[in-house]
Amino acid sequence: LSYTWNAQTLTITGASTVIGAHSYTVTATGPCGTATTQGVITVTGDLVHMTTTSTGAISLSVEFTGTLYIDWGDGDIGSYTSSGATNTHTYTGNSPHTVTVQAKTITQLDCSNISLTALDVTGCTALTYLNCSENSLTALDVSQNTALTLLGCYSNSLTVLDVSQNTALSGLVCYSNSLTVLDVSQNTALSGLVCGNDPLGSLDVTKNPALTYLECVNNSLTVLDVSQNPALTALLCGNNPLGSLDVTKNPALTLLECVNNQLTALDVTNNTALGYLNCSGNSLTALDVTTNTALTSLRVQSNLFDAAALDALFGTLHNNNSGTKIIYISNNPKGAGTGTENCTQSIAIGKGWYVNDTATP
């Protein structure tokens, strides 16, 4: 910045490369004495403010056009002109400190795993991709980032995540936080959702018809309605207290993992594209796979299949399925409540199936 002082008027000109509030004092000495003026210049733009406790290398991957300015918080200010750059700085100051980023246009930002405790991206209205995962964030405001299509914020300490304004969002990965509620009813374009390892007591995906991948393992879900997700190809909902699961409206499903729930029945007859099914750790007494001719891996350990149910299951696999496949059946009743496995007849009619990952057909 430069200044001129003429006729009692101070004029400051130039383009500042450092955002924030800057105090100034200008003194002029003339024949009648000395005059001093003071003030504050606030430089704004598309802003990113981060508070980090990192005392080592800080790496930011930023997609931008024009010139990018980064104040690393230790007196070092970097100017970058290349688009799509990854900028790494070894911090030399005291922790915690604030990193401030300014660019005319920031569309993508990856600030994951740099020990962030606070992040402000409300000024980045053109942002389409944000990855702030593996930090220590307790809050995240993305209400102004209405162009956002991909958001990764997993492995933080978020208790609230409001994505109601992010109607263009197609991918959301927010697992391993402290979320008890997640409302995705406004995200009708959502195709991928990973929200496991959170204390979620409910999850409504009935307003997400484009959903193809859903992973909600290790939550506290008692109900999961996927009847409005006809495009769903992968569903992982293990380690929940689900008492029932209806996948009859998901004909595109190729992967289903619903381990360690409380299921007493599972109908997969409409899932003819299913290639992988793991329903271990439930209370199933029978399983009909007569229509699942694409099945390549089946896991039914720790259910309640007796000898007759296992014979029926293996008979179906022998007659209706082909190719090299794996089946895991351990810890099912042998019949009349004795024993833990019944493999003898199953091995005899295997036709390419491998019991419990052994090499004996």
Side-chain angles (χ1 to χ4, degrees):
L1 298 177
S2 61
Y3 71 92
T4 58
W5 195 337
N6 184 37
Q8 300 182 2
T9 299
L10 175 68
T11 302
I12 299 176
T13 57
S16 175
T17 62
V18 183
I19 61 177
H22 304 283
S23 301
Y24 66 86
T25 300
V26 177
T27 301
T29 301
C32 298
T34 299
T36 299
T37 185
Q38 296 176 324
V40 176
I41 299 175
T42 301
V43 181
T44 61
D46 292 329
L47 309 182
V48 179
H49 294 281
M50 315 176 193
T51 301
T52 174
T53 58
S54 174
T55 56
I58 305 169
S59 181
L60 301 178
S61 179
V62 188
E63 182 77 25
F64 63 95
T65 56
T67 303
L68 177 75
Y69 302 102
I70 303 179
D71 184 343
W72 295 103
D74 58 358
D76 191 348
I77 299 171
S79 176
Y80 310 92
T81 56
S82 60
S83 180
T86 297
N87 312 111
T88 302
H89 175 72
T90 300
Y91 182 70
T92 59
N94 296 319
S95 174
H97 60 284
T98 300
V99 177
T100 310
V101 181
Q102 178 190 25
K104 293 298 181 183
T105 303
I106 297 177
T107 56
Q108 299 186 27
L109 174 63
D110 188 337
C111 52
S112 58
N113 196 23
I114 57 172
S115 302
L116 293 182
T117 58
L119 173 65
D120 182 0
V121 291
T122 55
C124 300
T125 56
L127 202 62
T128 61
Y129 170 86
L130 172 61
N131 183 9
C132 55
S133 305
E134 298 180 287
N135 285 296
S136 300
L137 300 176
T138 58
L140 180 64
D141 183 357
V142 290
S143 62
Q144 305 302 309
N145 312 109
T146 55
L148 206 61
T149 59
L150 296 173
L151 173 59
C153 55
Y154 63 86
S155 297
N156 278 286
S157 300
L158 301 176
T159 57
V160 176
L161 181 61
D162 183 356
V163 289
S164 60
Q165 303 303 310
N166 311 106
T167 55
L169 203 63
S170 62
L172 174 59
V173 183
C174 57
Y175 66 87
S176 296
N177 278 284
S178 299
L179 301 174
T180 57
V181 176
L182 181 63
D183 183 357
V184 291
S185 60
Q186 303 303 310
N187 312 108
T188 56
L190 198 64
S191 62
L193 174 60
V194 182
C195 55
N197 298 319
D198 275 310
L200 290 176
S202 62
L203 180 64
D204 184 356
V205 291
T206 59
K207 302 298 192 297
N208 312 107
L211 202 63
T212 61
Y213 185 93
L214 174 59
E215 184 174 338
C216 51
V217 300
N218 298 319
N219 288 307
S220 300
L221 304 178
T222 57
V223 176
L224 182 62
D225 183 356
V226 290
S227 63
Q228 304 303 309
N229 312 109
L232 200 64
T233 60
L235 173 59
L236 297 90
C237 56
N239 298 315
N240 282 285
L242 292 174
S244 62
L245 181 64
D246 183 358
V247 290
T248 59
K249 303 297 193 298
N250 312 106
L253 206 62
T254 61
L255 184 153
L256 174 58
E257 187 171 271
C258 52
V259 302
N260 299 328
N261 277 283
Q262 299 173 10
L263 305 179
T264 57
L266 182 63
D267 183 356
V268 291
T269 55
N270 286 352
N271 311 109
T272 56
L274 200 63
Y276 176 89
L277 172 59
N278 188 349
C279 53
S280 302
N282 283 284
S283 299
L284 303 178
T285 57
L287 183 65
D288 183 357
V289 292
T290 54
T291 62
N292 308 108
T293 56
L295 204 61
T296 58
S297 184
L298 174 63
R299 299 168 182 250
V300 294
Q301 306 106 298
S302 302
N303 276 286
L304 301 178
F305 294 97
D306 60 14
L310 287 175
D311 284 345
L313 177 61
F314 274 86
T316 298
L317 297 174
H318 175 73
N319 294 322
N320 293 7
N321 301 70
S322 62
T324 302
K325 304 174 179 72
I326 305 294
I327 182 168
Y328 296 79
I329 66 169
S330 60
N331 297 322
N332 277 284
K334 186 176 181 179
T338 61
T340 57
E341 296 184 1
N342 179 25
C343 301
T344 305
Q345 287 181 297
S346 304
I347 291 174
I349 62 172
K351 192 186 178 183
W353 284 83
Y354 291 82
V355 178
N356 296 338
D357 207 20
T358 67
T360 304

